[in-house]
Amino acid sequence: MALPPPDPQFVLRGTGAAVHTLHFSCGGKDPDVPVLFSGSENGFIHVWNLKTHRVDAALDGHGRRSVYCVETMGSKDRLLSQGRDQRICLWDLAEGRTSVMDSVFTENVGFCRCSLLKLAHGRWLMAMAAKALGEIQVLELPSKTSVCTLKPEVGAKLGMPMCLKLWQLSGVSQPLLLAGYEDGSVVLWNLSMGKALSQLVCHPEPVMSLDFDLEKAKGISGSSEKVLSIWSLNEQQNLQVYKTHKLVNAGISDITIRPDKKILATAGWDHRVRIFGWKKMKPLAVLDFHTATVHCVSFSDHKSPGERLLAAGSKDHRISVWSLYAQT
Amino acid sequence: RELLRELLSELCACLAARSEELQLAATEALGALLHSARRGAVLALYRPRGLPLLGLAVSLLLGLAERGGARHLKVSALRCLQALVLQCDCPQHRPLREDELQQCGDLFASFLPGISTALARVITGDIRQGHKPTVAAIRLFYLVVGLVMADAQLARVPPNKEKPPAEQSRITELTVHRGPDWSRSTAEKLSLLLRKVVEFSSVHPHWKVRLELVELVQHLLRSCGQSLVGSFSHLLKALVGLVNDDNSDVQSRSNEVLRDIAEKRIVVQNRALADVLSENLHALATALPRLMNSQDDAGKVSTLSLLLGYLKLLGPKINIVLNSTSHLHRLSKALMQVLELDVTDVKIVEERRCGPAGSLQLGLLRSRHQRKYFRFFTEEKVFQLLQQVCRVLGYYGNLYLLVDHFLGLYGESGLYRKQAAMVLNELVAGAAGLGVDFLQEREVLPNVDDLKGSITSILDEYTDQANWYLTTSIDAEDASPERPVQGPGLAARAGGTCGSLLLSPEPQVTTHTMNSNIWQVCIQLEGISCFAAVLGKEFRLLLLSALYPVLEKAGDRTLLISDTALGTLVDVCEACGYESVQRLINDNSDYLVNGIALSLRQLEHRAHAAQVLDTMLRHSDASLLPLVEDVIQDVLSTLDQSYSNQASVFLGVLHSVMTALVQWFGSSDQEHREGSAAERQSGALCQEPQVVTGQEMERFFLDYIKQKQMAEGDLPDTGGEADEDPPLAKLEPNSSDPEGETPLPSHAQLAKDVMERCVHLLSDGSLRVRLKVLDVLELCVTVLHPHRNHLLPMAHRVWPALVTRLISDDPLAVLRAFKV
């Protein structure tokens, strides 16, 4: 018989607003305290110390407008955040500083999270939704030079980009971009040619979130309806539907595959976090703790597998942290 | 030179005379002679050739000392003898050179058996001879033994006897070769004598004798550390025993000597001595339980101080002992048995925290005065000694090893659990160097991380469910803080279910086991405060796991436990640098709320969560509200899921919540009210229309309530409520939309939510629940008072249920309902 789902290991309270995004930074060496960044609706980015379970710092850089994407660039001292004030800020947090070094004005009013990819040491590629409808702009950071702008073909009614995932096969230098659009299709873009390689209609509703496993060349996307769609990418760089998985309740706001590609977590509008085995999409657990929509899920990047954590941020202002299937 | 010899032999002849006066005069003359003679001349006497003559003098003097009638004669003989062996303490003599000492040592070796046995007889002789001869004899004894058996001299003695010159062969036969064989056999014999001497004089009634004994131990330990190893167990035993002498001089001197020994690292460098000590320790540890059982309190004190002394002397060498399993086993078993608590006191189980008003200061006073009662001793001193023993162990010993061992004992059997916890607490304190009375500094200071590691593991063990949630009273598990009139069925059921879920292997809980459980919890709590003291601010990190259990116990209904827990809270506060308990709770409320929220999710832990929340609220203030609000919403939603069985638990919480709200916001509302009144007056000119609206609304509501009351036909009941109304507008004049709902402050919102739940619970089956609900309701009304337009609809909803109560319930409930 299956064990009852566990309780959260602990719950972080005190963001004072709905939590929209989470990002761990736990890979540091010993004296470094593992931290969790959270971005919330009131425009604050909280830096949670995972040893004391307390806020080390609260960063205010988006004019009290909702922060919906937080990423680290290399170490926990370099932070990228994206907010509804249409800005992407680059933070310098080293030695206790809390200053915005640079910012990019996106001119986009949507809530499409940007995607980061490390090219070389100190060079990053960032994809973000651009001002014009349906366009995606790719920049190089920190120089902010534009690499390309990806425009949908004339006549293709993709709608706004909803979620992005930049990736690159190691060895192959060509970065690729997966983008989920408002009309429910997922498009694979070639950045150097600036053209769509493949397009796949996965959902009848907007794609809310997607994640891609480059080892297995398989990806998963969720939308506002009840179905999770798993698709694969063949050698000809064509996207194909691999299988679909039906859920009980509609609405997925975030999907994350654990870095070891063994399990994945979905954040549901039904207040629940669901855990699946990635290989066969076997449902493993339903984590029922939050009392409002779960906005985001994130796995930690701890070095040792035993310490790995899962965090879920919700509209009920709480962040629940779980220790799950750590040994498997 | 010849003259000296002649005089000596003459005097010897006189010594042998009958008359005491003559004997006395002769001894004095002999003493004077030896003193005044030139060193060179005297030394010439101390050649093997002079042996017969010296022997005669020595034996005569010894005879006098032993059999002489008058006291002063004895003393005089002994002093003279001292001069004769060239060890007199007169200042005018220069100390002997090394080779001279060696020479004398060789010579006196032949007299040693005679001198030592005779002196031993003098020392152990009749007490009526007074202390002076004894003191003199002891001094002479250690001087002679120290001279002959000195390590330095024995080391220089060649292993083989030199070829004696032929002409002196007869005399040479008399001399003794101090080879290894000789020294071994002599040491054995001396050990017997020493033992007798030590045993006799350590209990000698006169303090000077005991003081001299201390000197003896010091002298022998210092000069004969190698040769007399066999006797050291007795010597040290005596010395350690004398540390607790009644006489302060003896006490301080023996302390000094002990410190001296430790400082010189005699023990550390001398493996043999360490072995002797550890043997002694082993023997003592074996005998300890028996001794503690049979001796009186003074005896126990001395036995324990002996144990303590051994440990202190061993110092860093203690690890040798601890590394041997049998030693460690003995020692720990002895401690376990000695520390056994007396758990027959029924009062502890009976004493209950009555009412929620557990004042902090009062609780502290009580817990400080609370003593532990041990089975084998009653004296506080004994306990202090045992404490010291554990601390010294922790100070020198390998902390990991010890903690591991005692945690093993802790888990091994319930019989040892309390004692092991006590020992562990003291060990940790000792390891951190808190309150340790030590003789020598450790070489290695303990690493804070190691300490923290050990503490964390102990803490985990303590707060483990099986060790923390013990049955401490028959209904302790169901945690409603007040249980006035009995509801035996419910109590038993609630207690029973929770108990069986937690641990309680046997359904029959005797007073004994409850008492013992109470003590265990208390000891564990004390442990936590001790750990906090050890770690200081570092402990803040551990608060994450420690604070919740402590607060839980602070809400316990057994007086002793809650008092101890409060004491622990205060200690933790101090250690972590918080200025007050309130601060502590406020600053760490996130941890607590986390714990509460998680516990609420589990049925069997809900009661504990309620306790914690209760305590938290009682010791905190309004700044807690945002977090607490969150958790109270949880409580309410949990309550919604389980009205039937846990209502009483949650009502307790709700009650304390509301009490807290009334406390926190009662006064602020008063201010608010006044403030709004002032605003109204000042704003009267510009905002007249609005104010009028407000007043109109108020009038409307007042009318409404009157009408309602009329309609219910129950005017006097709500009269109290109406009386409290000040004729002022409660509506905020600035509110842009006076007709709509003004946004409620969070506390009022809470009160409203709570009130809503109460409506449902008013018709609960159990009388106690109903009473409770009415209490809560009353508080709700007080809180909501300033927010009339929310209160009134609520009141309207409550009304029907209330009326039903009024009409058809027990008189007690009716009475309470009237109040509402």
Side-chain angles (χ1 to χ4, degrees), chain B residues 106 109-111 161 172-178 182:
Chain B
D106 277 336
S110 4
F111 304 142
K161 206 166 179 177
T172 327
E173 270 169 29
L174 291 173
T175 64
V176 173
H177 177 69
R178 292 188 289 168
W182 175 86

Side-chain angles (χ1 to χ4, degrees), chain B residues 122-166:
Chain B
V122 175
I123 295 168
T124 54
D126 196 351
I127 290 181
R128 274 171 300 164
Q129 73 186 343
H131 71 276
K132 273 193 178 154
T134 321
V135 170
I138 291 177
R139 178 171 301 152
L140 186 59
F141 186 89
Y142 71 69
L143 286 175
V144 171
V145 172
L147 177 71
V148 177
M149 299 297 285
D151 289 339
Q153 292 188 31
L154 288 179
R156 277 198 301 267
V157 170
N160 295 312
K161 206 166 179 177
E162 299 158 28
K163 276 255 181 308

Side-chain angles (χ1 to χ4, degrees), chain A residues 6-11 13 51-54 288-289 318, chain B residues 541 544 587-588 590-591 593-594 597-598 601-602 630 634:
Chain A
D7 282 330
Q9 197 181 46
F10 51 89
V11 180
R13 288 159 219 260
K51 278 222 169 105
T52 59
H53 301 178
R54 292 203 169 133
D288 187 7
F289 171 78
R318 302 178 201 176
Chain B
L541 276 179
L544 184 58
D587 283 6
N588 295 292
D590 48 347
Y591 295 164
V593 166
N594 189 30
L598 293 185
R601 291 164 59 83
Q602 282 168 3
D630 194 41
D634 280 357

Side-chain angles (χ1 to χ4, degrees), chain B residues 51-211:
Chain B
L51 206 55
L53 183 58
L54 279 176
L56 179 64
V58 167
S59 62
L60 283 169
L61 284 171
L62 279 177
L64 275 182
E66 205 178 326
R67 283 179 297 275
R71 192 178 298 165
H72 55 266
L73 179 61
K74 284 185 175 187
V75 176
S76 164
L78 285 168
R79 292 192 68 81
C80 177
L81 199 55
Q82 195 178 335
L84 192 65
V85 296
L86 301 182
Q87 292 285 347
C88 73
D89 35 14
C90 315
Q92 66 259 41
H93 296 308
R94 65 178 171 87
L96 295 173
R97 288 199 313 272
E98 283 284 332
D99 56 329
E100 290 164 351
L101 273 178
Q102 182 88 25
Q103 184 195 335
C104 298
D106 277 336
L107 200 70
F108 291 128
S110 4
F111 304 142
L112 188 65
I115 295 182
S116 53
T117 39
L119 285 176
R121 271 200 297 276
V122 175
I123 295 168
T124 54
D126 196 351
I127 290 181
R128 274 171 300 164
Q129 73 186 343
H131 71 276
K132 273 193 178 154
T134 321
V135 170
I138 291 177
R139 178 171 301 152
L140 186 59
F141 186 89
Y142 71 69
L143 286 175
V144 171
V145 172
L147 177 71
V148 177
M149 299 297 285
D151 289 339
Q153 292 188 31
L154 288 179
R156 277 198 301 267
V157 170
N160 295 312
K161 206 166 179 177
E162 299 158 28
K163 276 255 181 308
E167 72 272 29
Q168 292 173 347
S169 57
R170 276 210 52 226
I171 295 172
T172 327
E173 270 169 29
L174 291 173
T175 64
V176 173
H177 177 69
R178 292 188 289 168
D181 292 338
W182 175 86
S183 60
R184 206 173 307 122
S185 65
T186 319
E188 270 168 33
K189 287 169 202 146
L190 274 176
S191 140
L192 285 177
L193 288 176
L194 271 172
R195 188 172 168 182
K196 258 205 293 190
V197 168
V198 164
E199 266 170 15
F200 185 83
S201 48
S202 59
V203 291
H204 198 279
H206 201 280
W207 63 273
K208 276 195 174 159
V209 175
R210 299 194 299 264
L211 188 61

Side-chain angles (χ1 to χ4, degrees), chain B residues 322-493:
Chain B
L322 296 180
N323 282 334
S324 129
T325 334
S326 80
H327 271 96
L328 186 57
H329 198 70
R330 281 266 172 243
L331 191 62
S332 54
K333 278 280 154 62
L335 284 174
M336 292 298 108
Q337 290 179 16
V338 170
L339 278 171
E340 194 174 325
L341 281 170
D342 184 10
V343 289
T344 46
D345 193 358
V346 187
K347 213 173 81 206
I348 289 169
V349 185
E350 278 178 342
E351 268 184 314
R352 280 301 142 81
R353 192 158 57 92
C354 33
S359 137
L360 196 61
Q361 294 309 318
L362 198 67
L364 275 184
L365 274 177
R366 275 185 307 216
S367 71
R368 292 286 181 263
H369 284 221
Q370 193 64 52
R371 276 191 51 203
K372 298 189 183 69
Y373 297 96
F374 293 92
R375 249 184 82 183
F376 293 120
F377 55 90
T378 48
E379 188 126 341
E380 191 66 19
K381 183 108 195 321
V382 179
F383 179 58
Q384 281 167 7
L385 276 171
L386 281 168
Q387 238 176 348
Q388 273 300 322
V389 166
C390 298
R391 286 187 181 172
V392 168
L393 267 180
Y395 187 75
Y396 291 119
N398 178 344
L399 190 62
Y400 273 122
L401 179 80
L402 285 168
V403 165
D404 194 55
H405 180 79
F406 282 101
L407 271 185
L409 281 175
Y410 179 86
E412 189 181 295
S413 129
L415 220 61
Y416 293 145
R417 197 158 289 163
K418 293 183 291 297
Q419 296 93 308
M422 246 186 283
V423 172
L424 278 170
N425 297 347
E426 297 303 333
L427 277 180
V428 171
L434 288 184
V436 193
D437 180 20
F438 50 85
L439 290 170
Q440 67 197 99
E441 289 279 350
R442 295 175 280 197
E443 292 108 3
V444 262
L445 277 172
N447 188 341
V448 177
D449 285 340
D450 288 355
L451 208 57
K452 210 152 86 186
S454 301
I455 287 178
T456 316
S457 63
I458 301 175
L459 205 59
D460 283 349
E461 192 68 27
Y462 280 2
T463 51
D464 190 77
Q465 286 188 16
N467 299 325
W468 195 254
Y469 299 121
L470 299 166
T471 324
T472 50
S473 67
I474 298 182
D475 55 0
E477 301 306 334
D478 105 318
S480 105
E482 277 179 315
R483 179 174 292 281
V485 210
Q486 260 283 344
L490 184 77
R493 188 159 48 83

Side-chain angles (χ1 to χ4, degrees), chain A:
Chain A
M1 200 194 126
L3 290 163
D7 282 330
Q9 197 181 46
F10 51 89
V11 180
L12 304 174
R13 288 159 219 260
T15 54
V19 181
H20 280 288
T21 181
L22 292 168
H23 186 83
F24 279 100
S25 177
C26 309
K29 298 240 163 32
D30 205 17
D32 266 12
V33 180
V35 294
L36 171 68
F37 296 98
S38 74
S40 52
E41 195 154 278
N42 55 8
F44 279 97
I45 300 163
H46 290 98
V47 186
W48 297 91
N49 180 330
L50 291 183
K51 278 222 169 105
T52 59
H53 301 178
R54 292 203 169 133
V55 177
D56 272 355
L59 314 173
D60 178 16
H62 289 281
R64 307 296 159 98
R65 307 289 297 274
S66 170
V67 176
Y68 58 90
C69 181
V70 174
E71 294 276 345
T72 50
M73 297 169 75
S75 73
K76 67 172 184 180
D77 297 334
R78 285 304 177 88
L79 191 71
L80 175 146
S81 68
Q82 184 178 18
R84 288 305 295 273
D85 61 346
Q86 305 181 26
R87 286 202 315 155
I88 293 176
C89 294
L90 299 178
W91 299 83
D92 174 19
L93 304 179
E95 293 157 0
R97 285 189 292 269
T98 53
S99 56
V100 178
M101 290 191 305
D102 205 349
S103 67
V104 179
F105 191 57
T106 62
E107 298 181 71
N108 179 287
V109 288
F111 40 88
C112 172
R113 290 174 184 159
C114 64
S115 175
L116 264 181
L117 177 70
K118 188 176 184 176
L119 288 178
H121 185 72
R123 279 178 63 225
W124 298 79
L125 216 53
M126 184 187 69
M128 62 183 198
K131 183 185 177 188
L133 184 78
E135 276 184 21
I136 299 165
Q137 199 176 18
V138 183
L139 299 179
E140 199 182 294
L141 291 178
S143 62
K144 298 204 280 181
T145 48
S146 176
V147 174
C148 61
T149 309
L150 308 172
K151 292 180 193 145
E153 283 173 49
V154 187
K157 292 216 167 59
L158 292 172
M160 282 192 293
M162 303 294 289
C163 47
L164 305 168
K165 171 88 183 170
L166 269 176
W167 56 279
Q168 180 180 32
L169 276 178
S170 57
V172 184
S173 59
Q174 206 171 19
L176 296 166
L177 173 70
L178 276 166
Y181 287 90
E182 203 178 352
D183 74 337
S185 55
V186 174
V187 177
L188 177 71
W189 291 92
N190 182 318
L191 295 188
S192 47
M193 291 186 282
K195 115 180 172 200
L197 293 174
S198 172
Q199 181 183 351
L200 177 69
V201 179
C202 298
H203 304 276
E205 301 286 329
V207 182
M208 299 303 293
S209 176
L210 62 82
D211 203 355
F212 184 70
D213 167 14
L214 25 140
E215 288 164 25
K216 295 197 184 71
K218 268 197 325 184
I220 181 164
S221 60
S223 86
S224 51
E225 29 111 41
K226 283 185 181 178
V227 175
L228 289 174
S229 173
I230 299 106
W231 26 267
S232 62
L233 187 67
N234 63 10
E235 277 84 10
Q236 287 79 43
Q237 310 245 309
N238 274 323
L239 291 168
Q240 295 166 322
V241 173
Y242 178 73
K243 83 193 262 194
T244 54
H245 186 91
K246 206 155 182 335
L247 299 170
V248 185
N249 296 318
I252 294 298
S253 48
D254 198 9
I255 292 183
T256 315
I257 304 174
R258 197 161 74 177
D260 66 0
K261 319 286 188 220
K262 281 188 176 148
I263 58 173
L264 71 96
T266 65
W269 294 359
D270 59 352
H271 314 174
R272 291 178 185 144
V273 174
R274 289 186 162 78
I275 309 291
F276 296 92
W278 174 222
K279 208 167 162 189
K280 294 180 182 158
M281 281 307 283
K282 184 183 169 198
L284 296 176
V286 178
L287 309 179
D288 187 7
F289 171 78
H290 289 286
T291 53
T293 299
V294 184
H295 282 311
C296 50
V297 283
S298 174
F299 284 104
S300 76
D301 53 349
H302 278 101
K303 286 242 170 69
S304 77
E307 296 174 74
R308 277 184 308 214
L309 298 171
L310 164 71
S314 156
K315 199 180 170 184
D316 63 4
H317 304 189
R318 302 178 201 176
I319 303 166
S320 55
V321 180
W322 311 71
S323 177
L324 293 165
Y325 299 103
Q327 303 306 327
T328 51

